[in-house]
Amino acid sequence: MYKGMKPLISVVIPIYGVEKYLKRAVDSVLHQTYTNLDIILVDDGSKDNCPAICDAYAAREARVRVIHKENGGLSDARNAGIAVAGGDYIAFLDSDDYYAPCFIEILYRELLRADADVAVCSYEITKELEPEKGPDFAAVRAAYEQGKADITVYDRKQMLLNQYDALCPDATYFIVAWNKLYKRSLFQEVRFPKGKIHEDEATIYRIFDRIHKGVYIRLPLYAYFEAPGSITRENFSKKRMDFMDALTDRITFFDRIGETDGKKAALRARADGAIRYFYPLRKKFPETGKMLRGYVKEALYVNRHGTAEEQGFLSGSNQMGYRLFLLFPDLYYLLRKKNF
């Protein structure tokens, strides 16, 4: 456990309609082995008992502050917390999830050791309500202390590329916002997009672009609770097109700053996502289906007719698959059905 005064670390917890899980989340922060914390509970206009639970925590715990605001969504709540965060570092916790007791301690330790700007860990999915039945965080801590953690330091460019499934088997861990510890200064000019889902995909790449190094600890220090009704786990809807918009913004961003490898990775990711989204959307939203096909065509075009640095990022099998999809989408679906 850390002793003495260490830098203040702000933890932002956006809250809406989670009274069943809220205490578990907040307690997991209060019980961190790293204790110099600025815990910001952002009540995003919750209609249940969450506002009262938040106020009760603030009344008895000096490290807890509460923001009550009108409902604006997850991004808006995170942004409200960022705006008042007083720490040198910042972390996020979704209010139906919870931290390992050593989450902040280990991320902070490895961030300092690597002289990095952001530290990333893996997470474990749990369906258990009681933390005692969830991830075995004591075993995770023991593995870390025994030197069994796989820890890798990446430069800025590799952190950006690590967000793509085609390039990194652990891409999901790099995309999401809540399994990380950041230098507070990284958010000086960056905020989450209000009113969007897939807000992490639209934001974290902008954070990674501002770093010089990141460190990845391949240990599950975060419990991701798989509950029904969560925004990202609900049935498919047109709102999921926010993911396509996020990838389009990445392509434009990388093109503007001359990050060719990032642009190529984003083009492929958008084409792959377009194919997945095409089938649930094409009948109900024909115009959207046409747009998604256009994303696949664009990837093929840039692969063949882009600049010398842009060309050749699709393998032969990628190109054949994309062309089959464009010519015979029903046949493509039958051949790849298990992937949807």
Side-chain angles (χ1 to χ4, degrees):
M1 181 179 295
Y2 280 93
K3 297 180 180 180
M5 184 59 67
K6 294 290 180 178
L8 183 66
I9 294 178
S10 295
V11 179
V12 176
I13 309 178
I15 295 161
Y16 183 81
V18 289
E19 63 177 293
K20 188 175 182 179
Y21 315 115
L22 182 55
K23 291 183 179 179
R24 181 181 65 182
V26 178
D27 287 347
S28 79
V29 185
L30 289 171
H31 297 153
Q32 288 292 296
T33 53
Y34 188 106
T35 58
N36 193 25
L37 301 175
D38 167 38
I39 305 168
I40 305 168
L41 309 183
V42 184
D43 164 33
D44 191 35
S46 193
K47 303 300 183 184
D48 57 6
N49 290 323
C50 284
I53 295 172
C54 291
D55 288 340
Y57 272 110
R60 66 176 183 265
E61 172 57 65
R63 295 180 296 171
V64 174
R65 294 188 282 156
V66 181
I67 297 173
H68 296 291
K69 59 182 288 296
E70 293 183 1
N71 181 254
L74 177 59
S75 290
D76 195 46
R78 282 182 182 163
N79 291 341
I82 293 170
V84 302
D88 299 304
Y89 302 87
I90 191 166
F92 302 99
L93 173 62
D94 281 2
S95 50
D96 52 353
D97 301 333
Y98 56 99
Y99 286 159
C102 54
F103 172 85
I104 291 176
E105 177 190 344
I106 290 177
L107 291 184
Y108 175 67
R109 181 187 295 180
E110 295 304 323
L111 186 148
L112 288 186
R113 195 195 308 269
D115 187 28
D117 302 293
V118 61
V120 181
C121 68
S122 58
Y123 60 84
E124 183 172 330
I125 297 173
T126 180
K127 297 182 179 180
E128 300 291 343
L129 286 172
E130 300 83 7
E132 314 84 64
K133 297 180 180 179
D136 187 352
F137 287 139
V140 172
R141 176 61 186 255
Y144 174 78
E145 296 297 346
Q146 293 164 15
K148 297 179 180 179
D150 184 358
I151 300 174
T152 309
V153 178
Y154 297 106
D155 64 15
R156 165 194 163 276
K157 182 173 182 176
Q158 193 58 52
M159 288 290 285
L160 286 166
L161 296 178
N162 282 348
Q163 297 176 95
Y164 299 98
D165 292 324
L167 302 177
C168 176
D170 289 347
T172 300
Y173 302 134
F174 290 89
I175 293 170
V176 296
W178 30 259
N179 62 333
K180 299 173 176 62
L181 180 66
Y182 312 81
K183 284 186 176 178
R184 171 69 179 81
S185 58
L186 295 174
F187 285 93
Q188 187 172 350
E189 298 176 0
V190 177
R191 291 293 187 271
F192 293 92
K194 183 177 178 180
K196 297 278 190 178
I197 65 171
H198 295 289
E199 64 287 331
D200 295 349
E201 286 93 338
T203 307
I204 299 305
Y205 77 92
R206 295 181 182 274
I207 293 294
F208 287 172
D209 180 60
R210 296 168 62 87
I211 71 173
H212 74 290
K213 279 191 292 186
V215 60
Y216 173 42
I217 305 103
R218 192 176 280 104
L219 279 178
L221 299 171
Y222 187 103
Y224 177 91
F225 184 61
E226 200 169 69
S230 178
I231 292 175
T232 57
R233 301 156 203 169
E234 67 186 5
N235 291 332
F236 200 98
S237 73
K238 193 178 180 182
K239 188 67 174 168
R240 291 292 187 90
M241 285 295 290
D242 286 351
F243 175 62
M244 294 287 104
D245 293 342
L247 288 171
T248 297
D249 288 345
R250 285 193 207 180
I251 293 165
T252 302
F253 179 81
F254 290 138
D255 193 41
R256 186 175 71 248
I257 66 173
E259 189 66 63
T260 306
D261 288 340
K263 178 182 176 181
K264 292 188 293 186
L267 280 165
R268 178 178 173 181
R270 188 178 65 173
D272 291 341
I275 293 173
R276 291 195 305 272
Y277 285 16
F278 175 80
Y279 295 99
L281 291 175
R282 60 174 170 169
K283 291 183 179 179
K284 191 172 181 180
F285 305 104
E287 74 289 353
T288 298
K290 183 178 180 180
M291 180 189 300
L292 294 171
R293 287 169 59 87
Y295 292 152
V296 179
K297 291 177 182 178
E298 184 176 351
L300 285 167
Y301 180 85
V302 175
N303 181 73
R304 186 170 182 179
H305 301 290
T307 65
E309 289 186 343
E310 291 173 345
Q311 291 179 21
F313 65 92
L314 295 178
S315 68
S317 60
N318 286 146
Q319 296 175 67
M320 289 177 60
Y322 288 178
R323 292 191 179 105
L324 179 62
F325 163 75
L326 291 171
L327 292 170
F328 306 106
D330 292 327
L331 175 61
Y332 181 92
Y333 181 81
L334 289 174
L335 293 174
R336 301 292 304 279
K337 189 174 182 180
K338 66 179 180 180
N339 297 98
F340 292 94

